[in-house]
Amino acid sequence: MSAADTWTIRARVNGAEVSTTASVRLTLAELLRSHFGLTGTKVSCEMEVCGVCTVLVDGRPVSSCTYLAVDVDGRDVLTIEGLARGGVLHPIQEAFIDHFALQCGYCTPGFLMMAKALLDEVSDPTREQVIDYLSGNICRCTGYRPIVEAVLEAARRMKERD
Amino acid sequence: MSRHRVVGSSVRRIDARSKVTGAAEYCIDLAVGEMLHGRVVRSNRAHARLTGIDTAEARAAEGVVAIVTARDLNGLFPRFGHIVADHSILAENKARYYGEPVALVVGLTPQAAFDAAELVRVDYEDLPPLISTQEALMPDAPLIHQRTYERSASFVGEAQSGQVASNTSHAATLEWGDVDGALATADVVVETETSYPMLYAYAMEPYNAIAIHSGNSLDVYSSAQHPFMVREELARIFGLPASKIRVSVPFIGGGYGSKSYTKVEPLAAVASWYTERPVKLVLDIEESVYTTRADSAQVWVRSGFTSDGRIVARDFRIDMNSGAYADNSPLVIEKAVNRCFGPYRVPNLRVHGRSVYTNTAPASSYRGFGAPQGNLSGELNMDQAAESLGIDPAELRKRNLVRPGEELLPGKRPMDADLAADLEMVVSSLDEGASDEGRGDGYGVGFGCSASDAGALPVSTALVRILADGSVSVQTGSTEMGQGSRTVLAQIAATELGVDLEGVHVVQSDTAMTPFEWTTGASRTTTLAGMSVLRACDDLKAKAVDMTASVLDCDPLQITIVPGGVSGPDGQVLHYGKVVSRWFGAPAGEITGTGIVRRAGEHALLPPFWEIGMVGVCVRVDRETGHVTVDQLVTVGDVGFALNPAQLEGQDLGAATQALGAALYEELIYDGTQPINPNVVEYRVPTMSDMPRVTTTLLAERRDGIGPYGAKGGGEGAVNPVGGAVASAVARATGRWPDRLPLTPERVWLLLNDHADAP
């Protein structure tokens, strides 16, 4: 394989049909950041242990730093930029603001996407379930407590709004 | 004024919305037109002469624009280092550590540069590698630096430059009284030796920068905490006036001190200078480990006590492994010397500290800054003394803590905190939070105290501008790296001017646009940058009074300041925007207020404040596996006044969590000449499942600081005593005293099973 090998990728990104031709070696994170300008998705460990690059592919959380861009061909991708709808924040985003669940903010997009995946799966998680589900995401600033509180609060708010 | 008095309340972070939507821009997210990409070729030897660099094959590779080596830096000053200019931008004649930059490949894409970097061939002639301080301090050890270097002119801090007669990079001593005499007559003498691990801060955004060199100016975007210090270094490298260099820092993805001073900016800048194109350089995590880690330390202490528990003398020795280049380690050892003996009354004291060059990655600042290394030994020693003396460890500390107003360091600011009251808060909170299961077997309690001479040099300037529409712009050279300064500085301006917080915009850290700030470190921002913003508001209000008096043709004494503006002789209120419009005769113009803090008046005495660390932990040790679970964590932030309590509690919990990482999991391990775990898989940081069962973050607000409204700094104090507290708790849980961190399951198991050769 040479670096020049390319592939045309057609996918749905944050609800929009997109098409781009990219090097087959490109990761999904690189594709989102460099081809689509969606820099909200961050990269850090590049070994699938920190979780900052988490995006949802067909609703499932993946580490976009090691997920090949060509593998989203024909799939549906949701990134942090697609979490708020029409300027209205998702309840998880609101709860993160209210609980000071971020400081530097670099890990925040990954946590929010992972939290969304959790709440899509389990609408009323226990504290233990939140901790278990989010233990693959690293935050170096907060000490995690406010993140756990924010996710539980988001679940409560989403239930109330249902 | 009450509606606008937004200091003291936990208003939401003003950067939060941009950070939850992905809109917040970090340096790593930026791109400029026609930008090239760098990839560093790094030494795969720890100590070796460079005998040749063959770049031909790499240069011929597809997409490669240039390859830069030290030989290409003709006409430039080829090194950096804000204390000692010992750090080659690219290795000149020899490589001094595994991972040192030897060449920089510049390509059209990151991938092209990455691939071509593999093709650069470097020939080495190996020299004896000196990995530990013991090896580096052997009398016949080769010198890692054979020459002395320029001491940086811009550095007016507390450290002196090193002498290169040995591998000791910097030595520091603090001494008073007759230590030997006092120890000889003490009722009880307790001796402790500890090892503090080599740490990596793991700021999640790796080091990165974009440089645009054109003609005789240089623009740099960077992830640096201290843009003004980076500017000075770049000015020296390129021989340019500081005014021609712009260092701009967007949001930073974690700093914790590890992004203090100059890191990758010179590499990006020389690549841009060489190619005459903008160059972006983004390191990966392994490369970030090689760029800066924290000083590990071996610390010895002997303390003498009277039988009723009064300290009569303390004698410390500290050796730090500071890596191949000085970076900030000379100041780290100075601070370790000042901070190791604790906030205690020590009538006879001697501390000898050495920062030692080794063939390992350069060490520098990391949250706590010399304090955690020494505190582990000093506080463990207090706990061992409590056991020997048969005195409760909290009581032993209380008998020795300095009182408010008492001098801790001769000639320095007297203690501006009530340490005994803080300790009482920790002890009673630990009692309240005890688990229902009770304490029992395998359970241990530990706590610790520290006081750090914090705040650094009190030089800060700020601009506050009121525009014709009444909105406010605050300009500061202080960097937002997650600690929440953007919000706190806006709170101060809104409060002082009596305007809505929503109308205040804070612009930070752009050396071409924002006024000078010494650093963003040493927990200084609220206290010092906050004060310069407050003073800028005062200046602005005084100007508004004069302008209004002129417009209304009355005496300035007839004008009073009211929330959001001024009131004239007839009681007519003019909001600031109106003052601007009336004065300029159109809805145009602005009022500019300037505020400064310098080393004069109430800021003449150093340190600007004492940063207190006061923590407690309860741990449970699994006797089968040696696994340590933290059941409770209590922190006290003695901050004088909490401008934003939620942000402060977040700082303390975050700081303590990082310190729990160092206490239980984190250690960068050199096996032979290279680290074996320079990645986040094998360098294990705390995760959500490691959270203590109970975390209690208390704030002590006694208005005893010199900052705005009586504030003092926070954010680092909660790091410092955690290591010693955990070690003491584990000692009480296991019946054996540990002598090193981190207390991994293996180490604790060996401790429990009495293996003297614990790794």
Side-chain angles (χ1 to χ4, degrees):
Chain A
M1 183 183 85
S2 96
D5 287 340
T6 58
W7 190 267
T8 300
I9 300 164
R10 290 183 185 82
R12 226 177 137 78
V13 176
N14 297 333
E17 302 293 339
V18 296
S19 167
T20 186
T21 300
S23 161
V24 294
R25 67 190 279 188
L26 219 60
T27 66
L28 177 55
E30 288 166 336
L31 180 85
L32 293 168
R33 291 173 56 82
S34 65
H35 282 238
F36 301 133
L38 295 172
T39 55
T41 298
K42 305 301 185 207
V43 174
S44 183
C45 78
E46 299 180 86
M47 289 184 168
E48 301 185 359
V49 293
C50 76
V52 304
C53 65
T54 305
V55 300
L56 305 188
V57 175
D58 290 344
R60 294 171 58 86
V62 305
S63 292
S64 65
C65 73
T66 45
Y67 192 102
L68 286 177
V70 291
D71 286 341
V72 298
D73 193 14
R75 296 181 189 272
D76 187 285
V77 182
L78 185 70
T79 74
I80 186 64
E81 288 90 348
L83 199 52
R85 289 291 161 91
V88 179
L89 296 183
H90 188 284
I92 307 173
Q93 291 171 307
E94 284 177 7
F96 265 61
I97 295 175
D98 294 344
H99 286 264
F100 293 81
L102 61 89
Q103 289 180 25
C104 84
Y106 199 76
C107 72
T108 308
F111 265 106
L112 289 168
M113 298 315 288
M114 202 66 186
K116 176 172 166 42
L118 166 65
L119 297 184
D120 285 349
E121 209 175 296
V122 188
S123 63
D124 193 11
T126 63
R127 189 181 161 82
E128 287 64 37
Q129 282 175 303
V130 171
I131 291 172
D132 186 50
Y133 205 90
L134 296 181
S135 275
N137 287 64
I138 292 171
C139 171
R140 271 305 247 180
C141 293
T142 62
Y144 300 108
R145 181 182 71 190
I147 297 177
V148 177
E149 288 167 358
V151 174
L152 290 171
E153 173 71 19
R156 274 192 297 275
R157 288 182 190 174
M158 286 165 75
K159 204 168 184 183
E160 279 165 22
R161 288 175 203 183
D162 274 348
Chain B
M1 185 120 180
S2 59
R3 185 163 74 89
H4 303 288
R5 196 177 162 77
V6 288
V7 293
S9 63
S10 297
V11 301
R12 292 171 179 177
R13 297 179 65 102
I14 61 181
D15 57 0
R17 191 183 169 94
S18 73
K19 286 179 174 177
V20 299
T21 56
E25 275 193 330
Y26 300 78
C27 188
I28 204 166
D29 302 329
L30 303 179
V32 299
E34 303 296 298
M35 178 172 89
L36 302 175
H37 300 268
R39 174 76 185 180
V40 181
V41 178
R42 294 175 182 275
S43 169
N44 60 8
R45 310 297 170 96
H47 197 192
R49 257 181 218 102
L50 299 178
T51 53
I53 304 177
D54 180 357
T55 60
E57 196 184 341
R59 206 179 289 271
E62 193 185 330
V64 170
V65 175
I67 293 160
V68 188
T69 69
R71 283 168 181 238
D72 300 311
L73 307 184
N74 289 326
L76 302 186
F77 183 84
R79 293 185 303 282
F80 63 100
H82 63 287
I83 297 175
V84 187
D86 63 356
H87 201 155
S88 303
I89 300 169
L90 288 159
E92 289 174 84
N93 299 307
K94 69 174 186 174
R96 295 184 175 85
Y97 70 97
Y98 182 97
E100 176 163 7
V102 172
L104 184 65
V105 178
V106 187
L108 294 172
T109 62
Q111 291 78 14
F114 185 96
D115 291 349
E118 308 274 308
L119 304 175
V120 174
R121 277 195 294 274
V122 184
D123 292 322
Y124 300 97
E125 185 186 308
D126 280 318
L127 295 164
L130 308 169
I131 303 301
S132 67
T133 50
Q134 291 89 330
E135 289 169 312
L137 291 170
M138 296 282 273
D140 58 348
L143 290 177
I144 291 171
H145 293 270
Q146 282 102 336
R147 52 163 292 192
T148 56
Y149 297 95
E150 303 77 1
R151 182 182 173 204
S152 297
S154 64
F155 192 82
V156 295
E158 297 123 2
Q160 304 295 313
S161 66
Q163 300 289 315
V164 185
S166 74
N167 287 319
T168 298
S169 153
H170 187 72
T173 295
L174 186 66
E175 192 165 9
W176 60 72
D178 173 13
V179 170
D180 297 322
L183 285 175
T185 57
D187 294 329
V188 172
V189 174
V190 181
E191 203 166 336
T192 306
E193 178 182 351
T194 60
S195 299
Y196 195 83
M198 191 178 280
L199 298 176
Y200 165 56
Y202 188 36
M204 296 188 78
E205 181 194 15
Y207 296 110
N208 70 100
I210 298 173
I212 309 148
H213 187 278
S214 85
N216 65 345
S217 71
L218 174 64
D219 282 11
V220 174
Y221 297 96
S222 158
S223 54
Q225 289 179 221
H226 310 338
F228 291 89
M229 289 234 179
V230 175
R231 179 183 69 177
E232 307 307 317
E233 298 259 28
L234 294 172
R236 180 170 56 187
I237 290 167
F238 291 96
L240 288 172
S243 60
K244 300 272 190 193
I245 293 171
R246 177 178 187 178
V247 180
S248 177
V249 180
F251 284 123
I252 297 186
Y256 326 112
S258 73
K259 289 173 182 166
S260 308
Y261 311 105
T262 302
K263 305 296 179 192
V264 292
E265 299 84 1
L267 281 168
V270 299
S272 176
W273 167 82
Y274 189 72
T275 59
E276 300 181 322
R277 296 268 297 272
V279 174
K280 183 172 187 177
L281 177 63
V282 179
L283 304 191
D284 59 30
I285 294 302
E286 179 172 353
E287 293 180 286
S288 295
V289 172
Y290 299 145
T291 301
T292 300
R293 46 106 181 158
D295 296 81
S296 55
Q298 195 70 21
V299 183
W300 298 262
V301 53
R302 259 188 334 148
S303 303
F305 296 83
T306 60
S307 57
D308 66 347
R310 311 276 164 192
I311 297 171
V312 296
R314 301 196 90 176
D315 188 9
F316 281 82
R317 220 153 42 80
I318 306 172
D319 279 347
M320 282 187 167
N321 184 331
S322 298
Y325 296 101
D327 201 313
N328 205 40
S329 286
L331 197 52
V332 174
I333 191 68
E334 298 237 343
K335 292 299 184 187
V337 165
N338 286 351
R339 297 169 177 181
C340 64
F341 57 92
Y344 305 116
R345 200 174 299 113
V346 183
N348 302 285
L349 177 80
R350 180 167 59 213
V351 188
H352 286 304
R354 286 185 291 191
S355 163
V356 181
Y357 281 131
T358 62
N359 294 118
T360 62
S364 186
S365 313
Y366 178 36
R367 205 170 195 169
F369 206 105
Q373 291 96 325
N375 188 277
L376 170 65
S377 210
E379 286 293 277
L380 207 54
N381 181 257
M382 289 295 283
D383 283 298
Q384 291 171 336
E387 188 181 72
S388 300
L389 291 157
I391 300 174
D392 173 78
E395 177 56 31
L396 178 69
R397 286 175 169 86
K398 280 181 197 161
R399 286 182 196 175
N400 291 286
L401 285 169
V402 295
R403 283 185 284 270
E406 196 173 335
E407 243 180 21
L408 182 57
L409 281 178
K412 300 288 184 181
R413 182 177 299 279
M415 182 51 60
D416 53 1
D418 189 340
L419 295 154
D422 293 341
L423 180 57
E424 194 46 50
M425 288 169 77
V426 170
V427 172
S428 49
S429 176
L430 284 175
D431 286 343
E432 284 165 21
S435 82
D436 299 335
E437 301 158 50
R439 293 184 163 169
D441 190 47
Y443 198 88
V445 181
F447 40 83
C449 314
S450 73
S452 291
D453 44 339
L457 193 72
V459 177
S460 174
T461 65
L463 278 180
V464 177
R465 302 152 67 196
I466 282 203
L467 313 184
D469 68 352
S471 65
V472 176
S473 171
V474 175
Q475 276 150 273
T476 168
S478 187
T479 304
E480 172 60 66
M481 52 180 179
Q483 82 281 41
S485 62
R486 187 159 301 185
T487 305
V488 164
L489 297 176
Q491 285 178 269
I492 292 171
T495 300
E496 292 305 306
L497 298 172
V499 299
D500 287 336
L501 189 64
E502 292 69 35
V504 180
H505 184 66
V506 181
V507 180
Q508 295 180 272
S509 293
D510 178 337
T511 63
M513 306 298 287
T514 60
F516 184 88
E517 183 73 23
W518 174 248
T519 55
T520 302
S523 309
R524 65 189 265 120
T525 299
T526 300
T527 311
L528 299 175
M531 186 55 80
S532 61
V533 167
L534 188 147
R535 288 175 174 174
C537 291
D538 286 344
D539 183 47
L540 191 150
K541 286 186 277 190
K543 283 175 176 160
V545 166
D546 287 346
M547 289 157 79
T548 308
S550 165
V551 166
L552 300 180
D553 196 20
C554 66
D555 192 306
L557 292 172
Q558 293 175 284
I559 309 289
T560 53
I561 293 163
V562 298
V566 294
S567 169
D570 57 356
Q572 177 201 3
V573 171
L574 268 76
H575 291 292
Y576 289 119
K578 201 83 182 155
V579 175
V580 174
S581 306
R582 293 281 294 271
W583 168 260
F584 286 95
E590 63 182 56
I591 315 175
T592 306
T594 60
I596 67 158
V597 168
R598 66 187 187 102
R599 204 179 156 190
E602 62 194 345
H603 293 100
L605 260 185
L606 292 180
F609 56 91
W610 288 96
E611 183 170 4
I612 305 309
M614 203 62 81
V615 305
V617 294
C618 300
V619 305
R620 207 178 284 286
V621 175
D622 182 330
R623 290 184 167 275
E624 289 290 308
T625 63
H627 186 264
V628 178
T629 309
V630 182
D631 186 52
Q632 264 185 274
L633 166 74
V634 179
T635 61
V636 174
D638 183 336
V639 293
F641 174 67
L643 279 80
N644 189 316
Q647 287 198 159
L648 268 165
E649 289 187 48
Q651 281 293 299
D652 283 351
L653 182 59
T657 301
Q658 284 188 346
L660 285 175
L664 295 172
Y665 321 115
E666 296 179 32
E667 183 172 24
L668 188 64
I669 299 165
Y670 271 81
D671 184 7
T673 58
Q674 70 184 91
I676 55 168
N677 57 344
N679 60 69
V680 190
V681 174
E682 292 156 294
Y683 185 93
R684 181 202 182 301
V685 301
T687 68
M688 201 175 261
S689 51
D690 300 318
M691 262 191 314
R693 181 183 60 87
V694 180
T695 54
T696 311
T697 43
L698 305 172
L699 298 174
E701 298 182 76
R702 305 187 189 97
R703 304 264 184 160
D704 42 12
I706 59 163
Y709 323 106
K712 294 178 287 192
E716 292 184 86
V719 169
N720 304 335
V722 168
V726 170
S728 294
V730 168
R732 292 183 186 114
T734 61
R736 295 180 194 279
W737 293 99
D739 67 352
R740 67 196 55 217
L741 300 179
L743 290 165
T744 57
E746 183 188 9
R747 284 203 179 124
V748 174
W749 189 89
L750 288 166
L751 204 62
L752 281 161
N753 291 280
D754 203 21
H755 288 251
D757 56 348

